[in-house]
Every structure is written in C-alpha cells, then in structure tokens.
Amino acid sequence: MKIPPVKGTRDFYPSDMVVRNWIIDGWKRVSLRNGFEEYDGPIFEYLKMFQMKSGDEIVEQLFSLQDRGGRELALRPEITPTLARMVNQRISSLPKPIKWFSVPRLFRAERPQKGRLREFFQWNVDIIGEDDVLADAETIFCALDYLQEAGLTPDDIVVKISSRKMLAALLRTIGIAEDKLEDLYAVLDKRSKLPSDTFEQMLAENVTDENKGKRILELMGVGSVEQIGSVVELTKEAKESVDELSRLFELLGVMGVGDYCIFDIGIVRGLAYYTGIVYEIYDKASELRAIGGGGRYDNLLKLFGGPSIPATGFGIGDCILAILLEEKGLLQKQRSTRQLDYFVAFADKQFFQKTIEMTAKLRLAGLSANFSYKSAKLSKQLKEASDQNAKKCIIIGEEFKDNELVIKDMATGQQELIKVDKFFADKPTPSGTGG
Ligand code: HAM
C-alpha cells in the first residue's frame, strides 16, 4: 500500500532543499546584518496561548492535540505568542530594544491553495521595547533589504501600510463602540479577499446602522492620507496617528526604500493583537496572496502576564515568496546539491581499496570527498565527479605504485602529478586549492 503525503504538506527532495536553504540562508544573513539575533521556541505550545489574542481565524485553523497527561496543546500557527512568552520570562535581564529574528516551521489547517499550505516556514523579525515609529521603519527596511537583494524591484512588489490606531480613531468618530472594533477589523480585513457584494453583506451584518455602514465604506474607499479628512473629521487622536504614518514614510524614504511603500487604508491585518502601524507586502500585480505582513502589537506582552512593553515586527512565508521569485526568474536553481573538494577515482579496479582509503583520509582532514560505488571506466567516474560538482579529481592509477597521485582540476582540465606524502603534508584546504 502506497501512503501519500498528508494534504497541505511538502516533501523536500535534495533539489527542493537547495531552494529552501537558499531562501532561509538569505533571511538569516539579512537579519544578522540588520542587527537581529536568532531565537526559536517549541513546535507545540499550550492551546490556550493561541486562543488568547490571535483572533478567530487562526483559532479555527489550529492543529490541536492532547498529550498523555491530558494537556491541551497545539502545533504553532505563528511564533509571535511564543516570542511574547519568552521575552516576558526574562524581561528584566534582556537589554532593550530586543531585536530578534526566527525562522519557525508553522502549521495552519487552511484549505490548501496556491501559496497556502498546512505546513510552511515563516521569517519573523521583531523589535521589542521601542515605541518610536523608527522601529516599525527598521523592520520594514529589513524585509525590503532581503526582497531587494533577492532581485525584486518596486515594479514587482509593494508594501501597503496603514495604522490600526488611526482606523480606530476614525471608526470611533463614525460612532463604532470600543468593544465592537475587534470584530469589525476582522470584517474589514476581508475586503480585498472577497467579492464586493459579499463583503458589503458581511459589513451590514456587523454594523447594523445603515448610515454608519455607508460611512465606513466611504472611508475604506479613500486613496490617500490627505483624502481622509474629507470623509471623516480628524480628531486629535486621528491626527496623531496620521502624523506617525507621515513620519514612517519619511523614514522609509531616508532609508532608500520609499519607492516600495504606499498608504492603503484597506490594510487592517487578520490577527487580533495589532495596535498601531500595520502593513502587508504584495506582488505588484496583486495576483497572489500576501507575501508577508506585520505591524505593532503594544499590548501582547502585557496580556501574557508581562509588563506593558511596545513591540513591532513581521512574518514572511516561504510559499508565496518562492512562487513570485520563480515567476520573475529569480529562484536559485542548481543541478546538484553536492559540492565536493575532491572526487577520488581509480584507473584500475586493483586500486579500489586505495580509493576508499584516500577518500576517508580526505574526509578526516575536513575536506568533502566522494568516490564511485561502481567499478566503471575512468571516463564514467570523471563524469560522475563533474555531476557532483567536484572541484578536483584525484586519480589513483599505475603512478600510485611510485607513491604518486594524479590531480585533475575539473574546471581547467589540467593534470599534475604529486607525491602522496607531499599532498597531505601541504594540508589541502577545503576550498580545494590544496594538492
Ligand atoms: P500572518 O499575516 O498570519 O502574520 O502571516 C504572515 C505570512 O506568513 C503571510 O503573509 C504568508 O506569507 C505566510 N503564511 C501565513 N499562512 C500561511 C499558510 N497557510 N501557508 C503558507 N504561508 C502562509 C503572522 O503570522 C504574524 N505572527 C507576523 C508577525 C510577526 N507580526 C508581528 N510579528
């Protein structure tokens, strides 16, 4: 009986691992050069941790389980609650601001579709302990630093930015009660994902007063920050958030990534814990779902039993990103995942044992080396060496009886003879230059 992979999961064959590692290595490299340190947590946590403030959508998508002791657990659908828990545990000893990143494997029981799976990797970058909008700018910059390095230009992607604090102030002015805001955010977040009549019906169910519903629709239709005032009066609170947004755009300009960023009042975010600046990254053609998203969550640590401490950050998944990079021809492709310093070949079967011995010696000396299992002709072994991306090939033949090896440079085809003792005395280096 053949057992298929579980729906929504992926098998990573060696050639898929090349792509996965290339993406994740890039995330890590860029995080480090932006001054972030890596952390990780457990893959499963108490179920209640994800039920507290992540929002209904994520709760419905949880993979939950009960352990043998009857504890209710869940596979992590995101790492932000874990981050809040971990920081709270050591809050007094951690120097602020805390700049941490992580690349967790996450699980969400979504309906599998293009770019949406049940198991995926997500790059997380967060700054905790800084309430200035400069921290939001720095995390957005970090995301764009990576995306730009991967080859994506402002013609390919866009960061759509808004503010929940501003939206809350405007909705209050329209007459929405404080305790209704969270549910309304969840509805507004659906606007770009649903046909307009379905969205309007959802909104009408949430906001029963027709006039208020109309004003919200009007507000969601504004195309610029300047236009907001003509639709809803700007209170002092709303004005402060508008000023904060302006400063964010100014800082992104100073950092040289302003061309990627636009204001979009429709960005609300699906997760319930966001409190201020919010953003999502999309392909410019808007053909795919979000590449990533994030924002400020100033109340989450307090909610998890810690002090009141501001936080901001984002998550970028590997699935949509890989689709976009592939579409743009920017995905790293490699014939083989192997990179060898040496391939050891034998010119005659009688040297097979020596080949094994030599390969083992090279490996023990810290070099990558391989040999052929088949007692094939030398030309076939050389082909294998080239398929495995060997930099050099050691050929053990008649010369070996005089204690000599033939070293062939696979790039130039040049061969040289060298004494075995000298070869090892010279300490061949992993770059393949030894010998
Ligand atoms: P999120 O918007 O739920 O945010 O996810 C961020 C990104 O993760 C999405 O834009 C998408 O690229 C990827 N993603 C989410 N679900 C799936 C899925 N089922 N399959 C493939 N990719 C997916 C968060 O998770 C926040 N915790 C991010 C954050 C960090 N906010 C502050 N700090």
Side-chain angles (χ1 to χ4, degrees):
M1 187 182 70
K2 271 192 187 162
I3 300 172
V6 175
K7 193 173 161 189
T9 64
R10 284 171 290 179
D11 293 328
F12 291 92
Y13 288 88
S15 59
D16 305 314
M17 281 307 295
V18 176
V19 175
R20 177 173 131 189
N21 286 335
W22 178 73
I23 288 177
I24 292 179
D25 289 351
W27 288 347
K28 292 189 175 183
R29 188 177 56 251
V30 172
S31 304
L32 293 170
R33 77 171 174 227
N34 278 263
F36 291 85
E37 291 179 292
E38 188 166 6
Y39 73 98
D40 199 0
I43 278 183
F44 48 86
E45 293 268 10
Y46 284 110
L47 174 68
K48 61 173 179 281
M49 204 170 87
F50 301 114
Q51 293 171 324
M52 279 168 76
K53 197 64 189 173
S54 293
D56 293 343
E57 195 171 277
I58 267 205
V59 171
E60 283 160 22
Q61 295 169 349
L62 284 174
F63 279 102
S64 51
L65 60 139
Q66 205 179 50
D67 73 3
R68 288 174 185 223
R71 283 170 280 261
E72 298 291 339
L73 309 176
L75 296 183
R76 60 186 180 190
E78 57 163 340
I79 203 170
T80 315
T82 303
L83 171 67
R85 180 176 65 66
M86 285 171 62
V87 170
N88 273 346
Q89 265 163 212
R90 301 216 176 152
I91 194 72
S92 46
S93 62
L94 292 168
K96 320 282 177 311
I98 296 157
K99 289 179 65 177
W100 283 4
F101 80 95
S102 191
V103 183
R105 194 171 193 138
L106 303 180
F107 308 86
R108 293 186 191 180
E110 288 207 47
R111 188 172 59 80
Q113 52 189 297
K114 191 175 179 189
R116 278 289 186 275
L117 295 172
R118 294 192 165 171
E119 185 192 36
F120 58 98
F121 293 89
Q122 194 195 59
W123 179 32
N124 281 257
V125 170
D126 291 86
I127 300 181
I128 297 177
E130 181 53 67
D131 60 6
D132 194 290
V133 76
L134 178 56
D136 305 85
E138 204 186 3
T139 50
I140 296 174
F141 174 82
C142 185
L144 286 169
D145 186 7
Y146 170 78
L147 295 166
Q148 196 166 347
E149 185 187 271
L152 295 164
T153 70
D155 289 335
D156 304 315
I157 51 162
V158 57
V159 187
K160 299 180 177 178
I161 306 172
S162 188
S163 161
R164 258 203 195 178
K165 208 168 23 172
M166 179 192 76
L167 189 63
L170 298 171
L171 291 173
R172 271 185 220 115
T173 308
I174 289 176
I176 305 297
E178 198 63 41
D179 61 342
K180 297 270 187 269
L181 284 176
E182 205 170 288
D183 286 345
L184 182 54
Y185 291 151
V187 174
L188 296 180
D189 178 61
K190 295 272 178 301
R191 194 175 74 113
S192 62
K193 297 159 195 148
L194 293 173
S196 57
D197 48 349
T198 317
F199 167 71
E200 281 170 31
Q201 198 185 331
M202 258 179 93
L203 182 64
E205 280 163 21
N206 188 276
V207 181
T208 45
D209 182 319
E210 227 175 273
N211 185 43
K212 286 181 190 168
K214 227 177 96 211
R215 290 195 68 194
I216 293 173
L217 275 179
E218 229 183 314
L219 179 65
M220 296 314 278
V222 303
S224 67
V225 181
E226 296 73 38
Q227 231 184 312
I228 297 171
S230 63
V231 179
V232 180
E233 182 204 340
L234 286 182
T235 56
K236 186 169 165 276
E237 199 191 1
K239 178 90 182 40
E240 273 170 18
S241 325
V242 168
D243 290 347
E244 192 180 60
L245 267 173
S246 307
R247 176 132 186 278
L248 174 63
F249 280 101
E250 190 188 317
L251 286 166
L252 291 166
V254 169
M255 292 173 173
V257 292
D259 289 352
Y260 285 94
C261 305
I262 61 162
F263 168 72
D264 186 334
I265 197 162
I267 298 303
V268 185
R269 301 285 292 137
L271 295 159
Y273 46 67
Y274 293 106
T275 54
I277 297 289
V278 277
Y279 52 91
E280 279 174 356
I281 309 169
Y282 284 92
D283 62 301
K284 200 69 184 273
S286 288
E287 277 162 4
L288 304 166
R289 290 184 58 173
I291 302 165
R296 193 161 268 287
Y297 48 101
D298 287 347
N299 298 334
L300 193 64
L301 278 87
K302 185 152 184 242
L303 196 93
F304 279 14
S308 177
I309 184 158
T312 186
F314 69 81
I316 287 183
D318 65 327
C319 307
I320 296 280
L321 176 68
I323 293 172
L324 185 65
L325 291 173
E326 172 87 80
E327 276 179 18
K328 303 282 174 193
L330 298 168
L331 206 56
Q332 168 95 350
K333 283 268 158 67
Q334 239 170 298
R335 209 159 31 109
S336 162
T337 60
R338 285 200 186 103
Q339 291 280 350
L340 296 176
D341 294 313
Y342 289 97
F343 191 95
V344 189
F346 46 97
D348 188 281
K349 243 179 166 176
Q350 61 175 304
F351 302 113
F352 187 55
Q353 190 121 331
K354 276 288 158 208
T355 300
I356 300 168
E357 189 188 317
M358 176 67 70
T359 311
K361 265 191 172 173
L362 287 166
R363 288 173 180 170
L364 287 171
L367 295 142
S368 55
N370 216 358
F371 64 96
S372 178
Y373 269 48
K374 296 178 216 113
S375 48
K377 274 197 202 138
L378 183 59
S379 59
K380 281 223 169 127
Q381 293 178 60
L382 289 174
K383 162 94 174 43
E384 235 181 289
S386 147
D387 288 346
Q388 294 184 15
N389 292 325
K391 291 190 189 106
K392 295 196 176 183
C393 199
I394 294 176
I395 302 165
I396 306 183
E398 285 304 320
E399 306 82 0
F400 194 76
K401 291 180 178 157
D402 298 325
N403 240 339
E404 282 181 336
L405 299 166
V406 175
I407 312 267
K408 183 182 168 82
D409 187 308
M410 296 301 283
T412 62
Q414 270 176 359
Q415 296 198 7
E416 58 170 330
L417 261 181
I418 186 160
K419 287 274 179 213
V420 178
D421 296 349
K422 183 169 172 5
F423 177 76
F424 281 105
D426 283 354
K427 292 203 174 54
T429 60
S431 66
T433 50

